């Protein structure tokens, strides 16, 4: 690593080596978190790479493939420097931001990978995730088709998102899994009960999404109903609205205290906590905070160099148990809803 870069970590026993912090690209041209500026988003991609960020995360569901198309020129310019992660299985109908259509069947997977390869303008996808689990399709069948994609040279490594410990074990029995992507933050710790121990045992990395609590942990907004635009996805998430938001806002106080001690931002402490779970739980942890601003990438990557003391970790420990409201209005598609 360079003086200004971040350390690296391997995605499990079988995956690629990447910067210890990745970049979630969903919001760069997909207005789920409000409007974006294309020029600034492209500058963010370049700045992230300069700082040692090499794992870039997208999905075919983000803007119905438009996010993959948006990223394609950046990936083409830096193909040998980046690890491309994309996903299949989730469809969000236009105008229905809370509705989910999930497909894990073989025919759909093959259509999905061809579509992603074309939109990304690449010959092979570095890390291909099952975005969400269709419980009507045996996971062994789904991963079996994904394994065929590896053998055919269309995909290098396999990942799963929002799976239970038992689903991960079943998948690993079919083909090595490099990474499990799940929500993990000071506000969302349900995966620590079973998924994290299973991943550690199986040699699988954790890739936490929304490590900043979708921005709430940074203090960027206090109530989604009043502070965010009408099209913002967070207005549909229970913990960010009404009485839940007011109660959860008080939970930022201990984070603020730790941040002041480090001369850091709230977001940096929240990210440092997630990064430090690699040591706490003994497995690779590569969070993928999303941002569209170069200055935020600089702030986020700096968090990888913050080490929290045992006393600070203890002060932050009770937060998750006090959070009001679920991660989603419908938890059926999360691992916690099936554990």
């Amino acid at each position: 690593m360079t003086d200004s870069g971040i350390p690296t970590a391997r995605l499990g026993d079988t995956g690629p080596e990447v910067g210890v912090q990745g970049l979630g690209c969903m919001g760069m041209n997909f207005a789920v978190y409000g409007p974006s500026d294309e020029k600034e988003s492209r500058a963010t991609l370049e700045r992230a790479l300069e700082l040692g960020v090499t794992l870039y995360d997208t999905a075919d569901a983000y803007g119905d493939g438009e996010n993959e198309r948006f990223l394609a020129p950046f990936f083409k310019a830096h193909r040998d420097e980046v690890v491309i992660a994309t996903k299949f299985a989730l469809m969000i109908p236009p105008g229905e931001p809370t509705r989910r259509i999930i497909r894990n069947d073989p025919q759909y997977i093959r259509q999905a990978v061809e579509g992603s390869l074309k939109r990304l303008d690449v010959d092979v996808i570095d890390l291909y995730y099952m975005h969400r689990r269709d419980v009507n399709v045996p996971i062994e069948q789904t991963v079996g088709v994904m394994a065929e994609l590896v053998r055919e040279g269309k995909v290098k490594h396999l990942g799963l998102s929002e799976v239970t410990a038992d689903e991960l074990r079943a998948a690993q029995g079919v083909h090595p899994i490099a990474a499990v992507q799940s929500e993990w933050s000071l506000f969302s710790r349900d995966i620590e009960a079973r998924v994290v121990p299973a991943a550690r045992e199986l040699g699988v990395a954790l890739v936490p999404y929304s490590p900043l609590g979708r921005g709430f942990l940074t203090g960027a907004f206090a109530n989604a109903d009043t502070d965010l635009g009408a099209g913002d996805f967070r207005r549909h998430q229970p913990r960010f609205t009404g009485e839940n938001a007011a109660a959860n806002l008080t939970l930022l106080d201990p984070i603020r205290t730790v941040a002041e001690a480090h001369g850091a931002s709230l977001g940096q402490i929240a990210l440092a906590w997630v990064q430090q779970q690699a040591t706490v739980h003994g497995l690779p942890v590569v969070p993928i905070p999303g941002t569209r601003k170069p200055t935020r990438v600089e702030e986020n990557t700096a968090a990888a160099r913050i080490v929290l003391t045992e006393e600070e970790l203890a002060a932050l420990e009770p937060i998750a148990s006090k959070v009001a409201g679920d991660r989603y209005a419908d938890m059926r598609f999360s691992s916690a809803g099936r554990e």
Side-chain angles (χ1 to χ4, degrees):
M1 90 184 193
T2 65
D3 291 340
S4 60
I6 57 175
T8 61
R10 185 168 297 282
L11 292 181
D13 291 343
T14 62
E17 188 163 336
V18 297
V20 77
Q21 187 179 115
L23 183 63
C25 300
M26 178 176 69
M28 288 190 162
N29 72 325
F30 179 34
V32 67
Y33 290 149
S36 60
D37 179 272
E38 180 174 326
K39 183 177 180 181
E40 190 168 44
S41 291
R42 294 201 180 282
T44 300
L45 292 167
E46 297 289 348
R47 184 62 178 137
L49 187 59
E50 290 172 355
L51 293 168
V53 174
T54 55
L55 177 64
Y56 293 81
D57 185 87
T58 183
D60 60 6
Y62 301 160
D64 193 23
E66 286 304 313
N67 194 241
E68 290 179 323
R69 291 189 183 93
F70 171 82
L71 293 167
F74 171 73
F75 291 153
K76 187 173 185 178
H78 302 285
R79 189 64 189 97
D80 294 336
E81 303 170 81
V82 301
V83 172
I84 301 171
T86 193
K87 317 177 195 73
F88 72 90
L90 172 64
M91 291 178 282
I92 305 172
E96 300 180 73
T98 61
R99 188 180 170 211
R100 299 289 182 268
I101 299 172
I102 313 297
R103 288 187 63 179
N104 289 175
D105 55 283
Q107 180 181 1
Y108 178 78
I109 296 170
R110 290 200 164 273
Q111 291 173 349
V113 73
E114 294 299 338
S116 287
L117 286 167
K118 183 177 180 179
R119 288 186 294 270
L120 292 165
D121 193 21
V122 296
D123 296 325
V124 61
I125 295 165
D126 299 315
L127 178 58
Y128 201 42
Y129 287 102
M130 181 190 76
H131 204 162
R132 289 293 186 271
R133 170 92 166 93
D134 178 357
V135 296
N136 298 309
V137 179
I139 196 164
E140 294 88 348
Q141 182 182 31
T142 300
V143 177
V145 177
M146 295 170 72
E148 291 175 5
L149 301 181
V150 175
R151 290 192 289 272
E152 293 165 11
K154 296 176 180 179
V155 170
K156 289 184 180 179
H157 306 285
L158 302 185
L160 304 170
S161 181
E162 289 286 358
V163 292
T164 67
D166 289 344
E167 290 164 351
L168 174 57
R169 293 180 191 282
Q172 184 78 356
V174 177
H175 188 278
I177 303 299
V180 166
Q181 186 174 133
S182 286
E183 187 166 353
W184 197 6
S185 73
L186 281 167
F187 267 23
S188 302
R189 298 180 58 181
D190 49 78
I191 65 169
E192 292 176 29
R194 299 193 62 210
V195 177
V196 170
R200 179 180 62 242
E201 175 191 332
L202 297 171
V204 178
L206 254 295
V207 177
Y209 71 84
S210 298
L212 296 171
R214 302 186 189 275
F216 195 88
L217 287 166
T218 70
F221 68 99
N223 189 307
D225 285 332
T226 56
D227 299 346
L228 303 178
D232 198 299
F233 172 68
R234 291 167 290 187
R235 290 170 64 96
H236 302 284
Q237 294 184 294
R239 61 179 48 165
F240 302 138
T241 58
E243 293 181 356
N244 287 345
N248 292 335
L249 196 62
T250 66
L251 301 179
L252 302 185
D253 291 342
I255 308 174
R256 190 170 287 108
T257 299
V258 175
E260 290 172 354
H262 284 267
S265 68
L266 292 175
Q268 285 178 317
I269 297 305
L271 270 177
W273 181 88
V274 175
Q275 303 268 191
Q276 209 155 326
Q277 298 313 298
T279 301
V280 172
H281 292 279
L283 79 171
V285 177
V286 181
I288 48 169
T291 187
R292 297 165 289 193
K293 298 180 183 296
T295 54
R296 290 298 185 196
V297 167
E298 293 166 1
E299 178 182 330
N300 290 346
T301 54
R305 295 186 286 275
I306 296 175
V307 179
L308 304 177
T309 67
E310 291 297 324
E311 291 76 15
E312 290 168 339
L313 290 172
L316 301 173
E317 181 67 23
I319 292 174
S321 64
K322 299 177 182 179
V323 172
D326 283 332
R327 295 201 268 132
Y328 296 102
D330 185 347
M331 289 290 286
R332 289 178 300 165
F333 304 118
S334 70
S335 59
R338 297 192 306 279
E339 281 286 11

